[in-house]
Amino acid sequence: MNSNQQLQHLYWRAGFGPRPQDVAAGLSPRKALRQLLHDSAGYEPLVGPALNYTDPQGAVMAEPATMKNNPVPNGLVTTPDQPGAPVMPMRPRAAFKAGGAAGVPRLRRAELTPEQRKMQNRGLRDAFNNMSTAWMDRMASSPAQLREKMTLFWHGHFACRVRQPGPALSLHNTTRQYALGKFPDLLLAVSQEPAMLQFLNNQQNRKEHPNENFAREVMELFTLGRGNYSETDVKEAARAFTGWGYDGQGGFRFRERDHDAGPKTFLGRTGNFRGEDVLKIMLEQPAAATFLTTKIYRFFVNEVPNPAHIEPLAKAFRQSGYDVADLLERLFSADWFYEPANVGTHIKSPVELLAGLRRTLNLKIDNTQPLLGYQRALGQTLFQPPNVAGWPGGRNWIDSSSLLLRLQLAAILFRNAEFAVALKQDENDLDPNQTKAQRTVRPGAGAHLPLAPLQQLLGATPTAQQPTRLSEFLLQAPIRPENLQLVQQAAAQKEPAEALRTTLVSLLSLPEYQLA
């Protein structure tokens, strides 16, 4: 594998693909990795007026504040009624206004008229769509590629599905902020997010009636994995998390009166533990570093874990205090990362496929709404994971209904080919009773493909050799000779610009393009 191939592999795994200008820059993979880490060091929250939600009575779900200048040590704030009690790291979060417009009390959903319910569903759907669109724009255009890719990983790791966009956006910005930091900080921050506490029922976790759902999922899916704790540990952890909840302003709140302050025995340790204590104890287990490293390895390297690679990474990860950026630097610097078994073997998720198309080709999109429909038709709607385990990934991305759409995406975007997709009904939809016509996604994204960057990449490459050169850029798996011949025939005897466009569509329509 030459340096160019290694570079492209790095850009696909650590981001959403290389642009022609990235390849033309001629950086070595090592220098490119340093650049990716540098460009991703800063944190910029996902904010904007279009991400707000207004309910039928006019109450606004406020835009998250940025709170960049944090004067409180360790980034913690305390509640006025309980000085010193840890609450939540300072970070952008959405606030809930308790009343409607002009102080009118907000009605319960059951009290809304049918028209108000429709307006509410439409407003919620628009806010989620705008959040997804804004994030997809970041993935396609942001220089902070590694932060965007790691935020996508955490989006599936801390899978959460709630009805209100405000808490969902707050959780997203928390994972975005801590994506490349220390995992203990991320875990605590996520665990205290209202969206997660609501999704996993910890708002109902009280000392008289412990609810084990939150404690179980934190251990099974977020930190330790199955087999590394007992049912007794689940029960004792649930007791430690009693009293963890949130208030009407969208802030974490520890309610002392609901907390079980008695002694607990958890993973071999005994004490009057609170939630923060059991999170720390979880991460003291060697199994936590192995579980997290394995999951990151499967996302960035190969679906089949290699214990010989994972064991030293997990050891270094734990010794670093669970420093995510350090772990990724070690992973992307390893010689085995560039071995043939790990190149061109990753099936792109729908988000990676769509964001990668836009980024690698410098696409400009007039109307991003159809892209949201294609995202859903392909099985990955941002902010709406199928369950708490997230998207299964791997071969699960490909089935008979999605493969044809994947292979025709390029023709749909660049030639406005007719491919109307009728989305399936989903009982979790905000508006689940739409007609088939309302659920049909039609072409009309208005994709603009600038040819200049690709022409610069090709340079003086003879016309007959251009399909081969473009295949080396676009495909991470080697193109089969018979496919290359078909691509060459499709572009034959066309004027240069049209030949280039035809070659692109042909290459992007190959099964090999589904791999990174």
Side-chain angles (χ1 to χ4, degrees):
M1 176 179 283
N2 61 39
S3 180
N4 255 2
Q5 292 170 320
Q6 289 183 335
L7 184 69
Q8 291 176 186
H9 177 57
L10 174 65
Y11 276 120
W12 266 116
R13 297 300 179 88
F16 296 92
R19 301 167 300 176
Q21 55 265 46
D22 297 324
V23 176
L27 295 178
S28 68
R30 188 171 298 277
K31 287 184 179 179
L33 176 57
R34 285 202 297 267
Q35 188 67 48
L36 283 166
L37 288 164
H38 176 270
D39 290 343
S40 297
Y43 157 64
E44 184 180 351
L46 199 66
V47 294
L51 312 187
N52 300 342
Y53 161 68
T54 302
D55 74 14
Q57 299 181 80
V60 176
M61 189 74 71
E63 179 180 331
T66 49
M67 300 188 197
K68 289 182 178 176
N69 300 315
N70 176 18
V72 184
N74 300 322
L76 295 177
V77 295
T78 57
T79 53
D81 53 333
Q82 296 175 43
V87 179
M88 68 189 299
M90 291 283 278
R91 59 186 180 275
R93 73 170 181 259
F96 300 86
K97 290 191 177 180
V104 177
R106 180 177 293 177
L107 296 176
R108 295 179 182 274
R109 180 168 170 80
E111 298 170 326
L112 297 176
T113 66
E115 185 58 33
Q116 285 176 320
R117 285 198 191 96
K118 286 183 181 178
M119 290 174 62
Q120 185 183 69
N121 288 337
R122 193 179 305 121
L124 292 169
R125 184 180 65 247
D126 288 348
F128 273 112
N129 286 348
N130 290 337
M131 286 159 52
S132 180
T133 297
W135 189 10
M136 288 289 287
D137 287 345
R138 288 271 187 99
M139 293 179 199
S141 62
S142 172
Q145 285 287 286
L146 187 55
R147 184 173 293 272
E148 297 303 328
K149 196 64 171 283
M150 200 66 207
T151 301
L152 181 62
F153 170 82
W154 294 127
H155 190 62
H157 182 78
F158 294 113
C160 180
R161 184 166 181 162
V162 291
R163 179 176 172 79
Q164 293 290 344
L169 183 59
S170 178
L171 174 61
H172 169 83
N173 278 325
T174 289
T175 56
R176 173 178 290 278
Q177 180 177 2
Y178 293 98
L180 295 171
K182 296 291 184 75
F183 181 75
D185 298 333
L186 173 62
L187 178 63
L188 175 61
V190 166
S191 298
Q192 293 183 337
E193 276 289 336
M196 190 62 74
L197 292 168
Q198 176 191 346
F199 185 55
L200 297 181
N201 309 118
N202 209 76
Q203 186 81 333
Q204 291 80 45
N205 188 14
R206 298 178 173 84
K207 60 184 176 183
E208 300 87 356
H209 305 286
N211 186 305
E212 299 173 5
N213 194 30
F214 180 80
R216 184 182 303 278
E217 304 301 3
V218 166
M219 285 189 282
E220 179 180 332
L221 298 174
F222 299 169
T223 58
L224 296 173
R226 289 183 180 179
N228 295 304
Y229 57 89
S230 67
E231 283 300 307
T232 299
D233 292 324
V234 173
K235 295 180 186 298
E236 296 294 87
R239 292 176 59 209
F241 286 118
T242 52
W244 277 36
Y246 53 91
D247 57 28
Q249 284 69 50
F252 173 80
R253 197 63 73 224
F254 176 71
R255 296 185 172 91
E256 186 78 48
R257 67 181 179 277
D258 293 328
H259 177 66
D260 184 340
K264 308 161 189 76
T265 299
F266 176 70
L267 292 173
R269 300 266 299 275
T270 301
N272 294 334
F273 300 136
R274 291 187 175 187
E276 300 91 329
D277 302 314
V278 299
L279 292 177
K280 290 178 182 177
I281 294 171
M282 289 176 202
L283 296 182
E284 289 170 1
Q285 314 305 307
T290 301
F291 173 75
L292 291 164
T293 302
T294 300
K295 196 165 182 181
I296 289 171
Y297 182 95
R298 293 185 65 189
F299 184 86
F300 286 100
V301 183
N302 199 305
E303 276 285 311
V304 181
N306 187 327
H309 300 162
I310 290 169
E311 186 177 352
L313 285 175
K315 182 179 179 181
F317 189 35
R318 190 165 175 237
Q319 289 175 342
S320 72
Y322 292 88
D323 188 315
V324 176
D326 180 75
L327 172 62
L328 293 176
E329 185 171 11
R330 292 174 185 272
L331 185 153
F332 294 132
S333 299
D335 291 340
W336 45 255
F337 175 70
Y338 298 98
E339 289 178 353
N342 298 325
V343 179
T345 56
H346 168 77
I347 298 175
K348 297 172 186 174
S349 72
V351 166
E352 289 173 322
L353 179 65
L354 289 164
L357 268 171
R358 294 175 63 182
R359 181 167 183 82
T360 57
L361 299 178
N362 297 280
L363 279 187
K364 306 301 178 187
I365 305 291
D366 293 335
N367 178 15
T368 56
Q369 292 305 307
L371 299 187
L372 297 176
Y374 299 140
Q375 204 184 106
R376 180 176 164 188
L378 293 173
Q380 188 179 29
T381 304
L382 294 174
F383 299 100
Q384 296 181 43
N387 51 54
V388 70
W391 295 275
R395 293 185 179 273
N396 294 283
W397 291 128
I398 303 292
D399 59 29
S400 57
S401 64
S402 66
L403 182 58
L404 182 60
L405 174 57
R406 278 175 168 261
L407 297 179
Q408 293 201 17
L409 264 179
I412 294 168
L413 291 174
F414 304 148
R415 293 177 175 169
N416 286 321
E418 287 299 325
F419 194 100
V421 184
L423 301 175
K424 298 176 182 178
Q425 288 278 20
D426 184 346
E427 63 181 9
N428 293 313
D429 281 351
L430 294 169
D431 191 5
N433 298 314
Q434 292 181 325
T435 65
K436 183 176 180 179
Q438 290 173 318
R439 290 182 284 110
T440 297
V441 181
R442 302 184 186 280
H448 301 279
L449 174 63
L451 296 180
L454 290 165
Q455 290 167 334
Q456 184 178 3
L457 177 72
L458 291 170
T461 305
T463 302
Q465 298 301 316
Q466 288 184 3
T468 301
R469 178 67 188 96
L470 284 173
S471 74
E472 293 169 350
F473 170 65
L474 293 171
L475 308 180
Q476 299 308 293
I479 188 171
R480 288 176 290 178
E482 60 269 28
N483 284 343
L484 178 59
Q485 186 176 5
L486 290 174
V487 172
Q488 291 169 330
Q489 289 174 351
Q493 297 182 356
K494 287 184 168 64
E495 58 92 15
E498 184 58 26
L500 178 54
R501 191 181 300 274
T502 300
T503 299
L504 278 174
V505 173
S506 299
L507 289 170
L508 297 172
S509 302
L510 293 175
E512 290 92 331
Y513 187 71
Q514 304 304 314
L515 301 172

